Amino acid sequence: MKRVLIYGLAYLLWAVTALLGALGVAVIRDTYQRALLLTSWHRYTLNAIDKFATVFLALALVVLLIFWEHHYRTGVQRGQLLQRFCLMTAIELGVLFLAHAVGFTLQRPFRFIHEGGFYLLLEMSGLVVFAWLASRLSHRRTAPG
C-alpha cells in the first residue's frame, strides 16, 4: 500500500511539473511574439513563424512530459523523488524567469516595475528555494552515516 501511495505522489508531482511546463510554454510563446512584433517582416511571414514555433513548442512539451514521467518513476525506485521534483521545479522556474525577463525588456512602454517585478521576484525566490532544497536533499542522501 505504501508503494502505491508513493507512486501516486510521483504522478501528482508530475502533474504539477506538467502544469508549470505548460505555463512556461505559454510565457515563451508570448515572449517570442513580442520579439516578432519588433521586426519589420511581412505579416504572413510572422504568421508562419508563429504557427511553426507553436507546433515546435508543443512537441517539446510532449517530449518533456515523457522525460519527467520517467525521471520521477525512476526517482521513486531510487528514493530520490523529492530531490528530483525540487531540481525540475528549480529548472522550470529558471526558464520562466528568463522568459519573463526577456519579455518585459522587449515591451515598448517600459513598465517593468508595475507589471513584471512581482513575477520576476516570485520566480527568482522560488528558484532559489527549490535549488537549495534539491541541493540539501542531495547532500543529505550522499552524506556519510
Side-chain angles (χ1 to χ4, degrees):
M1 184 66 179
K2 184 179 178 183
R3 194 160 191 82
V4 172
L5 290 175
I6 292 175
Y7 276 106
L9 176 65
Y11 281 102
L12 178 67
L13 295 178
W14 174 73
V16 169
T17 305
L19 289 174
L20 197 57
L23 177 66
V25 165
V27 170
I28 289 171
R29 184 171 185 261
D30 182 54
T31 301
Y32 80 72
Q33 283 181 338
R34 287 182 192 181
L36 287 176
L37 289 176
L38 298 176
T39 66
S40 60
W41 293 342
H42 194 269
R43 65 182 175 145
Y44 295 122
T45 305
L46 295 177
N47 189 23
I49 290 172
D50 179 44
K51 290 191 184 301
F52 175 75
T54 302
V55 169
F56 177 76
L57 283 173
L59 288 174
L61 183 61
V62 168
V63 168
L64 282 173
L65 287 172
I66 294 168
F67 168 75
W68 290 327
E69 190 274 335
H70 173 73
H71 194 62
Y72 289 164
R73 189 171 25 88
T74 58
V76 168
Q77 297 166 355
R78 295 183 182 168
Q80 299 174 342
L81 178 62
L82 292 179
Q83 174 191 354
R84 290 180 179 203
F85 172 72
C86 290
L87 181 64
M88 290 297 115
T89 304
I91 290 170
E92 286 183 322
L93 287 173
V95 168
L96 274 171
F97 176 79
L98 288 175
H100 270 135
V102 169
F104 292 139
T105 56
L106 289 175
Q107 286 181 341
R108 286 281 183 181
F110 195 68
R111 296 181 303 245
F112 182 74
I113 300 298
H114 298 293
E115 289 183 10
F118 178 72
Y119 292 132
L120 293 176
L121 180 66
L122 185 66
E123 290 160 357
M124 183 53 77
S125 61
L127 168 64
V128 168
V129 167
F130 279 105
W132 177 79
L133 281 172
S135 172
R136 190 80 173 140
L137 290 170
S138 173
H139 289 308
R140 187 178 70 173
R141 180 143 180 87
T142 59

